[in-house]
């Protein structure tokens, strides 16, 4: 990890006033490729020393909620305590505002001193997408050509960039959204960006027509009804499910779960994700049929893909561990710049 076996006196800026890292500063520090690599190299050790609780979720209304995600170390090798405070207001899309907003606060684990506060909206977008990107390194076919992005919200461009960074063979991206104009606008923006040479981007209005083309199908929506039909997934596809984080939400049907080799980012997905909770209740799969979690893939304890024909499914709900690792990278890069 970037910080190992350091005492508090060796951490730059530890004795000065807390710093604020804006969204613009955070975006200038992070790239999807850099964060994917950082997760890959630090996740096994971090998972062994960082302690967390199940995400605390408090409903504010029928659709909005407050989430708290604390994290603290059991070893001085990572000298931080962190808390992410997040609000989820899905109706914000109508106001052209992010549905997920918040702050991440970093403390010294030695003195309790506040070190930094940073924009957690962008932090969450980067860490969520890069967790999916890292998973696709292990679960997607490395000759994948077509990515289907389901949803065109704030997370969609990050997921697209993370998957393109993780699987450089991708050459075509279809973007679907209920409002096709949003899908087309995102496709046009990515074309103009020119970050990924040789990759074409196209907005589309019929998900059923394109989902079967996807070597990777990535979903980031607030849907409470299945969008991806398992029967339409091609042999060898990788299905990446990001949007749901409570039992009432789901982005795919039971057939997708039944056909797939299912992996999760962490054990919380088993009790929080609607796709899995519903599948367990209906007897589609059993909990012990979940193949493993992300850190087991990274460590090599579990093998993700053993056949080019297997359908793989990765369900993520987020964790305070990857929040901490991402915040660590941002903070240490910022104070040394």
């Amino acid at each position: 990890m970037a910080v190992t076996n350091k005492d508090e006196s060796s951490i730059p800026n530890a004795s000065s006033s807390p710093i604020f890292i804006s969204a613009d500063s955070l975006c200038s520090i992070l790239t999807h490729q850099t964060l994917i690599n950082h997760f890959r190299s630090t996740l096994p050790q971090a998972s062994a020393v960082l302690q967390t609780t199940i995400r605390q979720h408090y409903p504010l209304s029928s659709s909005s909620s407050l989430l708290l995600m604390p994290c603290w170390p059991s070893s001085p090798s990572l000298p931080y305590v962190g808390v992410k405070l997040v609000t989820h207001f899905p109706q914000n899309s109508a106001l052209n505002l992010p549905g997920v907003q918040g702050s991440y606060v970093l403390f010294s684990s030695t003195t309790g001193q506040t070190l930094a506060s940073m924009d957690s909206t962008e932090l969450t977008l980067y860490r969520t997408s890069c967790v999916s990107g890292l998973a696709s390194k292990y679960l997607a076919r490395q000759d994948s050509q077509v990515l289907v992005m389901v949803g065109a919200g704030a997370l969609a461009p990050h997921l697209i960039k993370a998957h393109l960074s993780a699987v450089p063979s991708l050459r075509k991206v279809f973007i679907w959204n209920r409002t096709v104009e949003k899908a087309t606008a995102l496709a046009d923006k990515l074309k103009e960006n020119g970050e990924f040479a040789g990759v074409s981007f196209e907005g589309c209005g019929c998900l059923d027509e394109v989902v079967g083309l996807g070597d990777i199908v990535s979903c980031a929506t607030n849907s409470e009804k299945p969008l991806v039909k398992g029967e339409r997934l091609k042999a060898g596809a990788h299905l990446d499910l990001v949007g749901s984080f409570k039992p009432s939400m789901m982005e795919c049907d039971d057939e997708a779960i039944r056909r797939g080799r299912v992996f999760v980012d962490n054990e919380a997905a088993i009790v929080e994700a609607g796709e899995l909770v519903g599948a367990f209740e209906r007897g589609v799969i059993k909990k012990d049929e979940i193949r493993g979690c992300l850190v087991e893939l990274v460590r090599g304890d579990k093998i993700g893909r053993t056949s080019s024909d297997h359908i793989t499914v990765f369900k993520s709900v987020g964790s305070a561990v990857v929040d901490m690792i991402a915040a660590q990278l941002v903070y240490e890069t910022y104070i040394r710049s």
Side-chain angles (χ1 to χ4, degrees):
M1 300 185 70
V3 174
T4 55
N5 301 319
K6 291 188 178 182
D7 60 28
E8 183 69 21
S9 63
S10 69
I11 301 171
N13 237 35
S15 61
S16 62
S17 299
I19 60 176
F20 174 71
I21 302 174
S22 67
D24 288 343
S25 295
L26 188 148
C27 291
S28 71
I29 289 169
L30 291 179
T31 69
H32 298 88
Q33 187 67 69
T34 299
L35 189 54
I36 289 170
N37 292 341
H38 183 64
F39 283 161
R40 192 174 194 176
S41 63
T42 61
L43 187 59
Q45 184 181 347
S47 296
V49 301
L50 290 176
Q51 307 294 308
T52 67
T53 63
I54 293 292
R55 173 172 44 200
Q56 299 171 50
H57 178 263
Y58 302 99
L60 302 178
S61 71
S62 60
S63 61
S64 59
S65 54
L66 170 69
L67 298 92
L68 306 179
M69 301 172 72
C71 188
W72 63 96
S74 60
S75 162
S77 63
L78 189 62
Y80 303 114
V81 172
V83 182
K84 187 167 77 169
L85 304 101
V86 176
T87 56
H88 179 242
F89 281 67
Q91 66 273 24
N92 277 1
S93 59
L95 304 173
N96 200 29
L97 292 172
V100 177
Q101 301 180 79
S103 295
Y104 195 92
V105 184
L106 202 63
F107 305 89
S108 162
S109 64
T110 304
T111 66
Q113 183 179 9
T114 305
L115 300 174
S117 174
M118 65 188 74
D119 180 273
S120 75
T121 300
E122 288 296 330
L123 185 75
T124 300
L125 293 172
Y126 271 96
R127 74 88 156 129
T128 302
S129 60
C130 290
V131 164
S132 286
L134 179 57
S136 71
K137 279 186 170 292
Y138 297 94
L139 299 176
R141 289 174 50 151
Q142 292 307 297
D143 61 352
S144 295
Q145 296 282 311
V146 178
L147 168 65
V148 175
M149 182 68 234
V150 182
L155 188 52
H158 285 272
L159 281 164
I160 290 168
K161 292 176 183 180
H163 285 299
L164 290 174
S165 298
V167 186
S169 61
L170 288 166
R171 287 294 175 265
K172 178 74 175 180
V173 179
F174 290 105
I175 304 169
W176 175 87
N177 195 73
R178 284 192 176 95
T179 306
V180 68
E181 290 81 8
K182 288 186 177 180
T184 302
L186 177 55
D188 291 342
K189 185 176 181 179
L190 291 167
K191 288 175 192 174
E192 294 167 6
N193 180 272
E195 183 177 349
F196 295 95
V199 179
S200 64
F201 302 90
E202 180 180 334
C204 57
C206 182
L207 180 57
D208 285 348
E209 288 182 1
V210 297
V211 72
L213 303 176
D215 297 300
I216 300 175
V217 179
S218 185
C219 304
T221 74
N222 294 309
S223 182
E224 296 193 348
K225 295 181 179 179
L227 297 172
V228 174
K229 298 180 178 68
E231 66 180 9
R232 293 186 178 273
L233 292 171
K234 67 188 292 187
H238 171 55
L239 177 59
D240 173 44
L241 301 170
V242 177
S244 75
F245 57 87
K246 54 186 179 180
S248 63
M249 303 169 73
M250 62 182 66
E251 297 184 297
C252 72
D253 64 7
D254 286 347
E255 182 65 8
I257 300 299
R258 187 193 66 78
R259 292 185 68 195
R261 294 166 55 88
V262 181
F263 293 81
V264 296
D265 62 337
N266 64 85
E267 290 185 356
I270 296 173
V271 296
E272 293 182 359
E275 298 91 348
L276 300 183
V277 172
F280 298 147
E281 291 175 348
R282 291 183 288 273
V284 177
I285 59 170
K286 300 176 182 177
K287 290 183 180 180
D288 61 11
E289 291 180 284
I290 301 296
R291 303 282 179 153
C293 63
L294 182 59
V295 69
E296 292 174 316
L297 290 170
V298 176
R299 286 199 308 246
D301 297 339
K302 298 291 178 69
I303 303 300
R305 176 174 289 277
T306 58
S307 166
S308 60
D309 290 332
H310 281 157
I311 291 174
T312 55
V313 177
F314 180 68
K315 175 57 205 165
S316 65
V317 294
S319 79
V321 170
V322 287
D323 285 331
M324 172 74 88
I325 301 171
Q328 171 213 0
L329 178 62
V330 172
Y331 173 70
E332 293 176 5
T333 303
Y334 181 90
I335 62 176
R336 288 175 180 149
S337 61

